[in-house]
Amino acid sequence: MRTIAIIKGMAGFLAAIAVWELVRATGTIDSRSLPGIGAILQSMISGLATSDDLMPSVLATLRTWSMGLVIASILGTVVGVALALSPLVETVTRPIVEFLRPVPSVALIPVALLVLGIGLPMQLFMIVFAAIWSVIFSAKAGVEGVDPRQLETGRVFGLSRLASIWRIVLPAALPNIATGIRTASAIALVLTITVEMLVGRPGIGSFLENVRLNGLVTEMWSAIVLTGIVGYLVNGFFLMLEKRLIPWSAEHHA
């Protein structure tokens, strides 16, 4: 089954490349604005191997992204568990959560710039604000889905409330939390690159904006493709971690 899925995925990938080249060949889009796949890949590989800008940009993006994701994951898990375990906390914070959650993250960039300046704290704030919600609600749903019989069994064996949370609630909720963190990782990557593009923070986003402004179309597309590859690898990395560290997760029982 896994081999068939890989073959289907490759077929879709090759079909997308064929459509890309067909669009170029028919002149539907000016070939100067749509370089060939080969030229894009060559530019990307060359840039990663020899450029003084592309590889440092990738590393800068990954460094900032990982910092923001760690903060969002820890805070989101703590808040989500607290909301699920304490009806009072959930009731008190619900208006604030419902007010803040729909606010588009990019809409806060002017405020963040005004308050925090153009440095790393501003970028981390934007990443955490965007990514934390999926962790919060995944953690909350995971805790609320714990079988009450498991908690009752813990009480029978004399577990304290704190011990029950640590030994029963968190392991049972961990698959949900992991899914929330994986979703947050993609959101965090998007915000990392978006902030880099908009305010010039070091990373793939600022590299992409610089080559665009300088009319380097092939280099621009190579950065876009590289961004997609990074996102794909990030998702695959978290899926691998989930399968290895959370073998009891029903999501990975195939």
Side-chain angles (χ1 to χ4, degrees), residues 121-208:
M122 179 277 298
Q123 191 173 12
L124 291 177
F125 169 79
M126 295 303 306
I127 295 168
V128 171
F129 181 85
I132 197 171
W133 303 109
S134 65
V135 183
I136 288 175
F137 290 105
S138 294
K140 183 173 182 291
V143 173
E144 291 174 341
V146 175
D147 190 338
R149 290 174 296 183
Q150 294 179 332
L151 296 175
E152 184 61 32
T153 301
R155 282 192 288 269
V156 169
F157 280 95
L159 292 180
S160 65
R161 179 174 175 80
L162 184 60
S164 295
I165 293 173
W166 182 253
R167 300 181 63 178
I168 298 176
V169 174
L170 287 180
L174 200 54
N176 285 68
I177 295 172
T179 300
I181 292 175
R182 173 155 47 89
T183 302
S185 70
I187 297 172
L189 184 61
V190 170
L191 257 293
T192 303
I193 296 173
T194 299
V195 173
E196 290 167 356
M197 292 182 67
L198 293 178
V199 304
R201 290 284 305 162
I204 298 175
S206 59
F207 176 87
L208 178 59

Side-chain angles (χ1 to χ4, degrees), residues 28-248:
T28 305
I29 297 178
D30 191 337
S31 60
R32 291 173 296 181
S33 301
L34 199 67
I37 294 295
I40 293 173
L41 294 178
Q42 182 179 358
S43 173
M44 182 182 67
I45 295 171
S46 175
L48 288 173
T50 62
S51 174
D52 293 332
D53 296 323
L54 187 53
M55 181 57 78
S57 296
V58 173
L59 295 177
T61 293
L62 291 177
R63 183 168 55 251
T64 307
W65 162 82
S66 61
M67 292 170 62
L69 181 61
V70 167
I71 297 171
S73 299
I74 294 173
L75 289 179
T77 299
V78 171
V79 172
V81 171
L83 290 176
L85 293 178
S86 174
L88 176 61
V89 172
E90 199 275 338
T91 301
V92 170
T93 59
R94 184 185 303 162
I96 300 174
V97 170
E98 295 302 326
F99 173 77
L100 291 176
R101 184 172 57 161
V103 176
S105 303
V106 292
L108 293 179
I109 289 180
V111 177
L113 284 172
L114 183 65
V115 176
L116 300 173
I118 203 171
L120 180 61
M122 179 277 298
Q123 191 173 12
L124 291 177
F125 169 79
M126 295 303 306
I127 295 168
V128 171
F129 181 85
I132 197 171
W133 303 109
S134 65
V135 183
I136 288 175
F137 290 105
S138 294
K140 183 173 182 291
V143 173
E144 291 174 341
V146 175
D147 190 338
R149 290 174 296 183
Q150 294 179 332
L151 296 175
E152 184 61 32
T153 301
R155 282 192 288 269
V156 169
F157 280 95
L159 292 180
S160 65
R161 179 174 175 80
L162 184 60
S164 295
I165 293 173
W166 182 253
R167 300 181 63 178
I168 298 176
V169 174
L170 287 180
L174 200 54
N176 285 68
I177 295 172
T179 300
I181 292 175
R182 173 155 47 89
T183 302
S185 70
I187 297 172
L189 184 61
V190 170
L191 257 293
T192 303
I193 296 173
T194 299
V195 173
E196 290 167 356
M197 292 182 67
L198 293 178
V199 304
R201 290 284 305 162
I204 298 175
S206 59
F207 176 87
L208 178 59
E209 189 67 6
N210 288 335
V211 295
R212 183 190 70 83
L213 292 174
N214 285 283
L216 303 174
V217 178
T218 304
E219 287 77 3
M220 180 190 74
W221 277 108
S222 69
I224 293 172
V225 171
L226 180 59
T227 300
I229 292 173
V230 170
Y232 180 83
L233 292 177
V234 163
N235 185 70
F237 172 74
F238 277 98
L239 282 173
M240 180 191 70
L241 281 183
E242 289 178 35
K243 291 179 180 179
R244 289 179 178 271
L245 301 180
I246 317 175
W248 60 89

